[in-house]
Amino acid sequence: MGRLKMVAERNTKVLFLIHDLGHGGAEKVLVNLVNHLDRSKFDITVLALFGGGVNEQFLKPDIHYKAVFPKAFPGNSHVMKLFSPRLLHKLFVKEQYDIEVSYLEGPSARIVSGCQNADTKLVSWIHIEQHTKKRAAKSFRSYRESANCYRHFDRTICVSQTVKADFLSIYPMLERVEVLYNTNETDQILALKDEPVEGSVFAEGEIRLCGVGKLMPTKGFDRLARIHKRLRDEGYPVHSYVLGIGPEKEKLEAYLAEHHLENSFTLLGYQTNPYKYVAKCDLFVCTSFAEGFSTAATEALIVGTPVCTVEVSGMKEMLGENDEYGVVTENNEEALYQGIKRLLDDPALLAHYRGKAKERGKAFSTEKTVRAVEEMMERLVES
């Protein structure tokens, strides 16, 4: 009772530990979340293992931000495995917190699990389906170590029901696993979507497709490029736009050059305001091989852009089991191509999904998702 009274008399100290605050969706939604948590209740620290991420700039000034290393170094995950979770925690986490949150799977989970303070509540936040024990234990010395680490957590949060089911299939011994949806800056997104796009990015008479995410193999933008070529070859006046940076850029550029698509497939790079582009497109396309609960697709709904996606984690929760709010296809290139083509061939259907996108986007309000997290943390401290 004494500890509960003491915590109640001051703000609950919460640490969020993440690999970095780079340009990924999970990094972005963490910034959204901590920026909106009630400061009269929570004293928030974000600790990144590696600094220099583009999302650092968006943290509000009253968030305590620290980085263990100024930037990532080659082989860092292998180096960390040389040390025990307990020693890593002692080296990296210098203060005492009421709650420590491992945000994202992997190294951060291993470190937070090493906390030795019995009064500190531990939370693991899982963002993606991992499918196999090998993949889930990649940042650990073994599957057995990963299971022992995850057992230390008082609560496991998953970003969708499909992520939860996947995680429990790999770690069936775990209890106290729940789902909380990602936090989006709804009001800010709606305000920014109407900003003008400068220059000659968009042309009249084109059908605008877009995708948003890191240019990496798991996002499948090469599939979008091939679908784009098929549509162009069949006479559809499509222009595709991809917002993001990453290691697949040169490979994508080479494909576009080889097939003379540079004038109809535009890589827009990283944009601090992607919403003004997405809002002005006719269709948002998700080509990913894996997701958790897609931030980019959620943002497309918020700005009212119809979504056509392959089936990955969270999409049927987002768009409905029977395509009520958007189109979900099988996760293969042909099925996605057919889904996009069906929408392009039926302007009335595309218009229908534009209306349903706006309707569904209202469900992902900042206030609802933040309050759900606050209630979880309040229950945790009281338990």
Side-chain angles (χ1 to χ4, degrees):
M1 184 64 70
R3 178 178 174 271
L4 290 178
K5 182 179 179 182
M6 182 177 69
V7 171
E9 289 174 350
R10 61 169 173 78
N11 290 358
T12 301
K13 289 186 67 176
V14 185
L15 172 72
F16 288 87
L17 177 63
I18 189 168
H19 186 273
D20 62 73
L21 285 179
H23 56 275
E27 294 83 351
K28 187 176 182 181
V29 296
L30 172 60
V31 172
N32 295 341
L33 172 61
V34 298
N35 280 346
H36 287 279
L37 288 171
D38 188 343
R39 300 300 192 279
S40 70
K41 297 179 180 178
F42 303 100
D43 179 10
I44 307 297
T45 297
V46 173
L47 177 63
L49 293 178
F50 305 102
V54 294
N55 274 299
E56 293 174 7
Q57 63 186 305
F58 302 118
L59 286 169
K60 288 188 176 178
D62 58 352
I63 300 293
H64 311 297
Y65 176 70
K66 306 171 185 177
V68 178
F69 300 100
K71 62 180 182 179
F73 55 86
N76 62 77
S77 61
H78 297 291
V79 172
M80 288 192 191
K81 288 184 202 177
L82 299 175
F83 303 93
S84 69
R86 181 173 183 173
L87 180 56
L88 289 172
H89 188 277
K90 185 177 180 180
L91 290 171
F92 297 161
V93 183
K94 302 298 185 183
E95 297 181 40
Q96 184 173 325
Y97 298 90
D98 300 303
I99 301 173
E100 292 186 17
V101 181
S102 157
Y103 207 79
L104 281 175
E105 349 18 64
S108 57
R110 192 166 180 266
I111 294 165
V112 170
S113 73
C115 177
Q116 298 300 301
N117 189 330
D119 290 334
T120 300
K121 301 293 185 178
L122 306 183
V123 178
S124 174
W125 218 293
I126 307 298
H127 281 261
I128 62 170
E129 291 178 287
Q130 296 167 93
H131 300 301
T132 65
K133 289 181 178 181
K134 182 179 179 181
R135 189 176 300 170
K138 185 178 179 182
S139 296
F140 299 84
R141 290 173 178 171
S142 64
Y143 168 77
R144 184 175 182 177
E145 186 197 55
S146 71
N148 287 334
C149 287
Y150 283 123
R151 281 193 185 97
H152 281 87
F153 288 93
D154 299 282
R155 193 74 81 251
T156 299
I157 304 300
C158 296
V159 299
S160 71
Q161 293 293 345
T162 42
V163 167
K164 176 182 175 180
D166 174 79
F167 191 72
L168 286 175
S169 73
I170 298 170
Y171 300 103
M173 74 291 293
L174 298 182
E175 301 174 351
R176 302 182 300 277
V177 181
E178 61 183 274
V179 172
L180 291 173
Y181 291 130
N182 289 333
T183 298
N184 296 280
E185 289 271 16
T186 310
D187 292 342
Q188 183 183 37
I189 290 169
L190 291 172
L192 291 172
K193 78 179 180 67
D194 294 324
E195 283 190 359
V197 172
E198 299 174 354
S200 56
V201 175
F202 295 133
E204 294 296 323
E206 293 181 329
I207 301 170
R208 302 166 187 168
L209 312 181
C210 67
V212 180
K214 291 180 182 177
L215 305 187
M216 55 195 300
T218 188
K219 293 297 183 181
F221 289 122
D222 56 324
R223 299 203 279 192
L224 180 58
R226 289 190 293 270
I227 290 171
H228 173 90
K229 180 181 183 302
R230 287 181 70 178
L231 292 170
R232 294 285 298 187
D233 289 346
E234 293 172 14
Y236 291 87
V238 293
H239 193 131
S240 296
Y241 300 88
V242 173
L243 296 100
I245 58 175
E248 290 286 286
K249 182 183 178 184
E250 290 185 6
K251 184 177 177 182
L252 284 168
E253 288 176 334
Y255 178 87
L256 299 177
E258 179 185 353
H259 297 283
H260 311 291
L261 298 169
E262 304 99 315
N263 294 325
S264 65
F265 195 112
T266 304
L267 299 176
L268 289 167
Y270 173 77
Q271 300 287 334
T272 55
N273 179 8
Y275 320 114
K276 65 182 181 182
Y277 297 95
V278 176
K280 295 171 181 63
C281 286
D282 298 294
L283 185 64
F284 175 91
V285 181
C286 176
T287 54
S288 296
F289 290 95
E291 287 284 346
F293 195 84
S294 173
T295 302
T298 308
E299 291 170 346
L301 294 176
I302 291 170
V303 303
T305 299
V307 173
C308 184
T309 176
V310 291
E311 184 176 358
V312 284
S313 172
M315 287 305 188
K316 288 198 171 181
E317 287 173 64
M318 189 185 301
L319 301 174
E321 287 291 331
N322 298 297
D323 292 355
E324 289 88 346
Y325 300 102
V327 175
V328 182
T329 75
E330 293 180 12
N331 198 332
N332 64 70
E333 194 171 311
E334 179 62 26
L336 181 60
Y337 161 76
Q338 293 294 344
I340 294 171
K341 188 175 178 180
R342 180 165 68 94
L343 289 167
L344 301 189
D345 286 339
D346 191 343
L349 184 62
L350 192 59
H352 165 77
Y353 277 120
R354 182 170 289 278
K356 299 305 285 186
K358 291 177 181 176
E359 179 185 334
R360 184 58 172 152
K362 294 175 182 176
F364 302 105
S365 73
T366 308
E367 184 180 355
K368 286 181 182 178
T369 55
V370 171
R371 186 61 198 140
V373 174
E374 290 177 343
E375 289 173 354
M376 178 274 293
M377 294 197 297
E378 288 165 353
R379 291 195 306 269
L380 201 54
V381 171
E382 293 168 2
S383 65

